[in-house]
Amino acid sequence: MVTRVGLVGGGAMDAGIAEMVARAGNPVLTLERDKASGAAAIVRLENSLPRAERAGKLSREATDSARSLVSTTLVIDDFADRELVIEARPAIEEIKLDLSGDWTTSSPTQQLWRPTHRPSR
């Protein structure tokens, strides 16, 4: 069973994933490009969890617990202990290349685009 999760980025999609993983009781570490992005990722979570609490989906204790399980880093090496890493960044080649190197040969999404006449769609 996976218990330690890493997320590349803390944007809207990643924040939702981080919240669900933390609500399940698992620690989540998000990799950010700078401190401001890391702070924004935490703010997204801090805005979302209370909404779930007000809607009766979480208790105060569950909200506090989930919040305590999410942290950010600027160093990819901090993912060394992660059992699962989720990369949900936009499908923009330059961004993917920055993280993975040879994105064009390893991305199933890119492979799907190749036969189309409109790869940007």
Side-chain angles (χ1 to χ4, degrees):
M1 173 186 263
V2 172
T3 59
R4 290 181 311 277
V5 176
L7 291 172
V8 178
M13 185 184 313
D14 301 289
I17 294 168
E19 181 178 339
M20 292 299 107
V21 171
R23 284 170 62 172
N26 298 306
V28 183
L29 181 62
T30 66
L31 177 65
E32 298 297 338
R33 68 180 173 269
D34 54 45
K35 288 181 181 181
S37 297
I42 296 301
V43 167
R44 281 184 198 87
L45 183 72
E46 289 175 344
N47 288 333
S48 179
L49 287 169
R51 281 194 304 266
E53 185 180 338
R54 286 190 300 274
K57 296 177 181 178
L58 290 177
S59 67
R60 173 46 124 178
E61 295 77 26
T63 297
D64 292 343
S65 176
R67 172 56 192 94
S68 73
L69 291 170
V70 179
S71 57
T72 63
T73 185
L74 304 177
V75 182
I76 198 165
D77 290 343
D78 291 345
F79 277 7
D81 70 337
R82 299 293 107 170
E83 298 164 315
L84 173 68
V85 175
I86 301 168
E87 186 266 323
R89 297 193 299 176
I92 299 169
E93 187 171 357
E94 294 80 25
I95 295 173
K96 303 274 185 181
L97 283 170
D98 184 45
L99 176 69
S100 63
D102 189 10
W103 180 70
T104 58
T105 59
S106 63
S107 169
T109 304
Q110 180 68 15
Q111 291 170 10
L112 289 172
W113 288 346
R114 284 189 184 130
T116 70
H117 296 287
R118 295 169 44 185
S120 65
R121 305 288 273 174

